[in-house]
Amino acid sequence: MIKKNKYNSVLAIAFAAGLATAIGQTLAAGAGAGEVNLYSYRQPFLIKPFLDEFTKRTGVKVNVVFAKKGMLERLKREGANSPADAVLTVDISRLKAHADAGLLQPIESRTIEKNIPAQYRDPNGLWVGLTLRTRLIAAARDRVKPGEIKSYEDLADPKWKGRICVRKGGHVYNRALVASLIAHHGEKKAGELVRGIVANFARKPQGNDRAQAKAVYEGVCDLAIINNYYFGKMKFNRKKPAQQKWAAALRLVFPNQDGRGSHVNVSGAAVTRHARNRDNAIMLIEFLSGQFTQRMYASQNYEYPVNPRVSWDKEVESWGRFKTDTLSLAKIADLSPAAQKLIDRVGWY
Ligand code: FE
């Protein structure tokens, strides 16, 4: 599942064909010559603008391999021969999985510590959050009144029976949300809550986040649980204008504003254990944590900067300022296995 792209198609094809050694040689040939090699789950349109800027400012060339799947397995298989110096990926559980597999090395950087709040960094420096997203409730504009639903806990209220759409529980987005419920309520109470939410489903979980928005638009359900950026991606989708209607049908509810705040997750970066261009990799991540890139990176995808000194994109700002849950992502990652067990137990699949 490798995406070809105009500026690194050769590497992408080699990667897709499983020619790890070939890539290793291609990339290693340039090692030490002012380069940095990146494995990315993030799409070209998102990262190309600031990678170009990074090269312009530092002279360091960035080679990117884009992947949709299998990055962790690839890194494991490549071991010490891996050409990758850094990885870019989404979701705390994926970052943690790379850390747990021993594929990363700690980053020490004053710049990163200054730019990124501790709750969005690994306590041991193994990963760093770079953009923030929140998991919110998208309510049918014409069928749910403002203020009628306010929290994740409200989703378990029997009044919503047959009215909620959400993707499968085992997806990383939902697993992290459940982990946050465990952190705040303990396993027993969280189990009851999630059981209550599942009992309110309008249909068997299916599709991705956008599919839930579509279902609200079609009247299948009145509430969906989605990541905030999909709202922007649908609202401005020129290639698939139907999605603009799905977005128009929704009112965004930032949950738990009277309490702990909305659950957030990150996309992030890490330096690989065997990085040959370690200093360049750290320099790149420092650049990603700074003013210029934070604003650009976050707004490209309707996300929020992790750097609290960086202003928000006008569009996402227009959806509302909101309070974020201050629970550390490291805690969410730790509770991820317990969350998955809970999801299996209550049958959210
Ligand atoms: Fe997503």
Side-chain angles (χ1 to χ4, degrees):
M1 299 294 277
I2 308 303
K3 269 206 173 158
K4 278 192 225 170
N5 62 92
K6 58 181 185 282
Y7 45 103
N8 227 326
S9 56
V10 177
L11 290 181
I13 292 162
F15 195 83
L19 302 173
T21 325
I23 302 173
Q25 285 160 359
T26 314
L27 295 184
E35 296 197 327
V36 60
N37 301 318
L38 202 55
Y39 279 9
S40 177
Y41 271 131
R42 305 231 77 189
Q43 300 165 58
F45 86 94
L46 268 178
I47 65 172
K48 166 112 169 85
F50 59 68
L51 294 182
D52 287 349
E53 182 66 24
F54 175 72
T55 301
K56 209 163 89 188
R57 290 189 190 192
T58 62
V60 175
K61 190 169 163 244
V62 187
N63 304 306
V64 195
V65 173
F66 292 98
K68 272 197 169 175
K69 275 183 185 164
M71 192 153 82
L72 185 140
E73 293 72 22
R74 180 74 53 166
L75 283 167
K76 268 192 197 165
R77 201 156 55 236
E78 290 171 350
N81 294 322
S82 177
D85 299 307
V87 296
L88 279 185
T89 187
V90 296
D91 202 276
I92 179 54
S93 68
R94 295 208 180 109
L95 289 164
K96 176 79 164 24
H98 284 78
D100 289 348
L103 297 168
L104 308 176
Q105 62 169 297
I107 303 168
E108 259 185 67
S109 159
R110 283 264 178 91
T111 304
I112 291 170
E113 281 168 27
K114 192 174 69 152
N115 285 342
I116 300 175
Q119 87 181 93
Y120 306 129
R121 287 187 271 114
D122 178 43
N124 302 312
L126 291 174
W127 47 261
V128 174
L130 290 173
T131 60
L132 266 188
R133 58 273 300 279
T134 185
R135 197 136 182 82
L136 42 75
I137 300 168
R141 211 167 250 296
D142 58 350
R143 301 189 295 278
V144 180
K145 289 198 266 321
E148 214 182 327
I149 180 135
K150 289 183 145 184
S151 67
Y152 301 113
E153 288 75 9
D154 286 350
L155 291 165
D157 188 321
K159 92 172 248 194
W160 301 109
K161 195 162 181 60
R163 300 174 70 187
I164 299 175
C165 282
V166 63
R167 73 199 303 167
K168 287 192 169 74
H171 189 275
V172 284
Y173 300 161
N174 287 330
R175 204 193 303 148
L177 175 59
V178 171
S180 81
L181 293 174
I182 294 175
H184 290 296
H185 296 291
E187 252 179 81
K188 190 165 174 284
K189 176 86 192 296
E192 288 162 17
L193 276 170
V194 179
R195 202 180 287 280
I197 296 172
V198 171
N200 288 340
F201 286 173
R203 62 176 185 183
K204 196 173 153 59
Q206 56 198 269
N208 55 20
D209 278 8
R210 287 188 226 211
Q212 318 312 320
K214 179 173 187 254
V216 171
Y217 168 74
E218 289 172 342
V220 175
C221 38
D222 296 336
L223 301 175
I225 306 170
I226 65 169
N227 281 359
N228 67 285
Y229 53 88
Y230 288 112
F231 180 74
K233 286 157 98 77
M234 294 185 295
K235 183 176 171 184
F236 297 101
N237 199 325
R238 265 183 257 129
K239 279 189 196 153
K240 294 176 184 161
Q243 294 194 4
Q244 298 175 14
K245 289 189 204 153
W246 307 350
L250 305 175
R251 176 184 299 112
L252 301 184
V253 178
F254 295 94
N256 300 69
Q257 294 305 291
D258 298 335
R260 66 181 182 267
S262 295
H263 163 69
V264 287
N265 206 320
V266 287
S267 83
V271 176
T272 61
R273 181 165 177 193
H274 302 290
R276 291 186 186 85
N277 304 294
R278 179 175 157 272
D279 292 350
N280 285 347
I282 293 174
M283 189 160 68
L284 176 63
I285 296 172
E286 286 175 341
F287 178 67
L288 297 183
S289 74
Q291 194 83 25
F292 173 84
T293 332
Q294 276 286 296
R295 164 118 194 160
M296 186 189 249
Y297 195 179
S299 55
Q300 285 287 349
N301 199 41
Y302 308 102
E303 291 181 73
Y304 305 94
V306 279
N307 183 332
R309 286 177 295 279
V310 176
S311 62
W312 289 10
D313 173 73
K314 287 250 159 53
E315 173 61 25
V316 296
E317 177 108 48
S318 75
W319 306 346
R321 298 292 302 195
F322 63 98
K323 180 174 165 188
T324 56
D325 188 344
T326 56
L327 185 65
S328 89
L329 289 179
K331 179 82 182 162
I332 287 180
D334 287 343
L335 286 169
S336 182
Q340 186 58 53
K341 266 190 213 153
L342 193 160
I343 286 160
D344 291 340
R345 200 163 63 235
V346 303
W348 182 352
Y349 41 69

